[in-house]
Amino acid sequence: MVTEADGGQDKGDALGLKPLVRDVPDFPQAGILFRDITPLLGNGQALRTAVDALARAYPNIDSVVGIESRGFILGAPVAYALGVGLVLVRKLGRLPRATVRADYALEYGANTVEMHTDAILPGERVLIIDDVLATGGTAAAAAELVERLGGEVAGIAVLIELVGLRGREKLADYPVTSLLKYE
Ligand code: AMP
């Protein structure tokens, strides 16, 4: 367990990991409060705590989907812990073979993500992993790709949920788990 020196805990941080997330104002652009998880990734005990908690949330799955790029960092050890394979959801143009694509809106502009068409078999139960749930558009696009290949989204698990952006509402059809909550 990682705890602040004063022993303080907030209720959105049952695992005591928040002291290892750094708030970076105006990154990558003005008005964004970036949640930097690199200190958490750099702490072996905290990384294990986070990965174990994400893996515990949905034990009965057939594969993990990691969303580029920080979702890969967390998705790979979760897949390893559960003894299942890792499927990549990547930004447009980075996967070499036939893909399915999903477009989604960003606050300014749009984005496209892809998955190999043979990455998920019909009926597979899939856990989607990312670092941060903000508006939910990215995770919803990943869920759409899973379902277009006939998979079932067993759950969506993230390290950080930015509760005020109400991404959970966009994902109302799925169980969503977050380890750290910010208003
Ligand atoms: P969204 O589609 O709005 O839920 O955004 C989620 C994606 O954007 C995740 O893959 C995050 O890595 C990234 N992201 C969004 N907002 C932040 C933030 N404030 N700090 C760090 N990453 C963020």
Side-chain angles (χ1 to χ4, degrees):
M1 183 74 72
V2 179
T3 52
E4 287 179 276
D6 64 0
Q9 292 265 314
D10 78 46
K11 60 181 169 24
D13 185 22
L15 299 173
L17 297 172
K18 265 191 187 174
L20 291 167
V21 176
R22 298 273 184 270
D23 293 347
V24 184
D26 299 320
F27 183 88
Q29 61 191 64
I32 305 287
L33 182 59
F34 189 82
R35 309 291 180 171
D36 173 26
I37 64 166
T38 59
L40 190 158
L41 296 176
N43 180 308
Q45 193 185 357
L47 179 59
R48 178 175 279 175
T49 298
V51 168
D52 287 350
L54 292 169
R56 246 193 329 269
Y58 303 97
N60 299 313
I61 54 157
D62 300 305
S63 58
V64 167
V65 164
I67 301 177
E68 187 168 2
S69 55
R70 289 181 295 275
F72 293 172
I73 298 169
L74 296 168
V78 169
Y80 177 86
L82 294 172
V84 301
L86 176 68
V87 171
L88 307 184
V89 165
R90 299 212 64 177
K91 290 162 188 157
L92 184 63
R94 296 188 176 169
L95 287 170
R97 296 184 291 103
T99 63
V100 283
R101 291 179 184 179
D103 302 314
Y104 61 99
L106 297 174
E107 202 171 349
Y108 299 101
N111 207 359
T112 302
V113 285
E114 293 184 293
M115 183 189 288
H116 276 140
T117 53
D118 61 359
I120 289 169
L121 299 173
E124 276 192 350
R125 285 170 52 79
V126 172
L127 168 61
I128 295 172
I129 301 260
D130 205 357
D131 64 333
V132 174
L133 173 63
T135 67
T138 310
E144 181 189 328
L145 294 179
V146 170
E147 289 177 342
R148 273 171 43 202
L149 295 179
E152 180 193 335
V153 178
I156 297 170
V158 298
L159 188 58
I160 291 171
E161 178 177 358
L162 307 180
V163 177
L165 295 178
R166 297 159 72 170
R168 203 174 264 273
E169 291 175 14
K170 202 172 278 174
L171 305 171
D173 291 344
Y174 313 109
V176 176
T177 298
S178 60
L179 303 187
L180 310 179
K181 294 168 181 61
Y182 293 82
E183 283 311 319

